Amino acid sequence: MGKGLLDGVKVLDLSRVLAGPYCGMMLADMGADVIKIEIPGKGDDARGNFPIINGESAYYMNLNRNKKGMTLNLKSEKGKEILRKLVADSDILIENYRPGVMEKLGLGYEDLKKINPGLIYGCVSGFGHYGPYSGRAGYDIIGQAVSGLMSTTGWPGGKPTRTGTAIADVMGGLSCCTGILAAYINRLKTGEGEKVDVSLVDSMVSSLEIINIIYLCTGKVPERIGNRYEAIYPYDSFEAADGSLVIGAGNDKLFKILCAEMDKPELLEDKRFDCNNSRVLNHAELKPIIEDWLRDKKIDETVDRLLAAGIPAAPINTIDRVAKDPHIAEAREMFVEIDHPKAGRLKMTGNQIKLSNNKINTFRPAPLLSQDTKEILCKKLGMTEEDVDRLREEQVI
């Protein structure tokens, strides 16, 4: 694997499905040596997730690229002992079991730091490792529901809505990655290890930013308002002749330019729209005026026109448009091709972090189940092939 900023950093990834594997993927993309540890015979639950390409889950392949893979039965004493030996020579461990599971196995942070005091132990769970809800199961939809996100997503009068992607899992993975990297930098300075305890719910509560502040500062409970923004208008989606676009006229100056583009200077003298606060209060009356202007206009032409005038605007792209976009797909390389031994050549989502001196451009396929078990045990722990065969017979691996 090509070197990256995290070259030489050793990571054990015991996580499954999305949040933990996303964190491990970020570290692996940046050059860390990440070993994915799975249940023998079954592996990560995500190996069965749609879509399936030639028997392999693209869901799994996207989140576990750039990792090596081994299987290990952590319910067996020999399996636990192997993990402890790997931990002794590792920098970071990631897990997303329900709180208490690793502790019952004798593999929690307090147990493992006795073996490796400098270990960075990253754990992602639904509600965190302490607090009255810590024992509850956590899934993305639960994170979105409990945090309040779903209550504010959707249209007025509609039902609470989950976002189109598993945003609580993604935010949990990103938060865990951030915490791990901060703890690792501290360890370089002090030699001290750390437990990084990340909750899906906490991650989503943090991401709600202005939604929380509206309630905390005014007492008003935010409601579903569609694509509109609470603090600025026009900052919304609008219908044009061939689809939808967004316009972000975020201040009075930009609104003045928009009025000129629409040939409606009279709106600037209208008390309902003469300043941002007035436009926010009267958004329901301003939106149809803008959409009436857009009625016979194409989205791409209109976006180009507004951008040329200095007004932030964008088409609401379908994913096929995103995948062909010259900026996103080509210049920013947000879709990359990978050759997988079973699934064949396929496209995956690239990495969003762009570095000037250490480009993230190595993308190797996710491991087949137990693909690297023998290599890891022999090279890292000095086992012989006979030792590995014996462990296989005993269903330790």
Side-chain angles (χ1 to χ4, degrees):
M1 183 172 175
K3 292 187 177 182
L5 284 176
L6 299 182
D7 181 50
V9 177
K10 300 172 185 177
V11 182
L12 301 176
D13 184 355
L14 279 68
S15 63
R16 308 98 62 226
V17 191
L18 207 166
Y22 192 97
C23 174
M25 178 195 75
M26 295 294 293
L27 298 173
D29 282 357
M30 290 186 281
D33 176 12
V34 180
I35 296 174
K36 171 89 173 181
I37 299 176
E38 301 179 68
I39 300 170
K42 177 187 176 184
D44 187 333
D45 288 343
R47 285 187 179 274
N49 286 6
F50 178 85
I52 304 295
I53 312 295
N54 294 334
E56 294 292 312
S57 166
Y59 183 111
Y60 175 90
M61 289 187 283
N62 187 55
L63 293 164
N64 293 286
R65 66 197 186 206
N66 287 334
K67 302 176 186 179
K68 292 182 177 179
M70 70 175 292
T71 52
L72 197 58
N73 181 359
L74 295 180
K75 292 182 179 179
S76 72
E77 287 306 314
K78 286 188 177 180
K80 293 177 185 179
E81 188 56 33
I82 289 171
L83 181 68
R84 293 186 183 108
K85 289 178 179 178
L86 290 170
V87 164
D89 188 43
S90 296
D91 300 297
I92 297 162
L93 181 144
I94 305 167
E95 59 97 345
N96 60 352
Y97 289 101
R98 193 182 299 197
V101 170
M102 290 290 281
E103 287 75 11
K104 286 179 182 177
L105 292 171
L107 301 172
Y109 174 63
E110 295 299 323
D111 303 297
L112 297 182
K113 77 174 185 179
K114 295 173 184 175
I115 301 166
N116 182 350
L119 180 69
I120 309 301
Y121 185 104
C123 45
V124 189
S125 60
F127 294 87
H129 276 229
Y130 60 87
Y133 302 161
S134 61
R136 294 186 184 183
Y139 291 92
D140 171 78
I141 198 168
I142 291 174
Q144 293 198 34
V146 176
S147 67
L149 175 65
M150 286 177 64
S151 76
T152 62
T153 304
W155 295 93
K159 299 292 185 182
T161 303
R162 175 187 170 274
T163 63
T165 189
I167 194 64
D169 275 332
V170 171
M171 285 298 299
L174 284 171
S175 299
C176 191
C177 186
T178 302
I180 283 171
L181 292 175
Y184 183 73
I185 291 170
N186 182 64
R187 197 192 80 174
L188 293 177
K189 295 186 290 185
T190 67
E192 185 179 68
E194 190 83 57
K195 180 178 180 179
V196 179
D197 172 12
V198 168
S199 150
L200 300 186
V201 173
D202 293 349
S203 299
M204 287 314 306
V205 170
S206 174
S207 76
L208 288 175
E209 41 89 32
I210 188 62
I211 298 296
N212 298 330
I213 298 305
I214 290 169
Y215 172 72
L216 295 172
C217 293
T218 72
K220 176 189 173 185
V221 178
E223 300 175 348
R224 291 178 291 284
I225 59 173
N227 293 329
R228 180 170 63 85
Y229 194 43
E230 288 269 15
I232 303 168
Y233 209 83
Y235 194 99
D236 202 347
S237 63
F238 301 91
E239 292 294 319
D242 60 341
S244 299
L245 70 155
V246 294
I247 298 173
N251 54 44
D252 291 340
K253 177 183 176 181
L254 289 172
F255 182 66
K256 182 178 180 180
I257 298 172
L258 179 62
C259 290
E261 290 297 314
M262 295 192 298
D263 195 24
K264 290 186 177 296
E266 68 274 10
L267 295 179
L268 298 172
E269 307 301 322
D270 192 318
K271 291 295 184 184
R272 297 173 298 171
F273 313 131
D274 62 353
C275 68
N276 180 64
N277 284 346
S278 297
R279 293 192 295 275
V280 169
L281 292 172
N282 296 289
H283 64 87
E285 296 166 67
L286 180 55
K287 184 167 185 173
I289 296 172
I290 296 172
E291 290 193 321
D292 183 63
W293 172 67
L294 290 168
R295 196 176 310 279
D296 60 352
K297 292 175 176 58
K298 300 288 185 72
I299 56 174
D300 288 332
E301 294 171 2
T302 305
V303 166
D304 288 344
R305 174 180 172 179
L306 293 175
L307 290 175
I311 301 170
I316 297 182
N317 282 336
T318 51
I319 301 303
D320 57 321
R321 283 174 57 108
V322 177
K324 299 169 186 174
D325 187 278
H327 177 85
I328 300 167
E330 295 177 25
R332 300 294 290 181
E333 300 177 302
M334 282 309 300
F335 300 100
V336 297
E337 290 191 329
I338 293 178
D339 287 310
H340 189 276
K342 286 185 66 177
R345 192 163 184 80
L346 65 160
K347 280 192 175 182
M348 295 284 168
T349 307
N351 192 289
Q352 70 272 36
I353 297 173
K354 310 302 178 185
L355 302 168
S356 61
N357 297 325
N358 294 272
K359 191 173 182 181
I360 300 173
N361 59 3
T362 299
F363 296 96
R364 294 195 175 183
L368 300 174
L369 185 60
S370 200
Q371 175 180 299
D372 305 299
T373 301
K374 181 184 288 188
E375 176 191 337
I376 292 166
L377 294 178
C378 292
K379 288 188 176 181
K380 288 187 175 290
L381 301 185
M383 292 187 181
T384 65
E385 290 195 15
E386 290 75 17
D387 293 331
V388 175
D389 290 340
R390 192 176 303 112
L391 289 171
R392 189 174 290 110
E393 290 171 5
E394 296 172 354
Q395 299 184 330
V396 176
I397 59 174

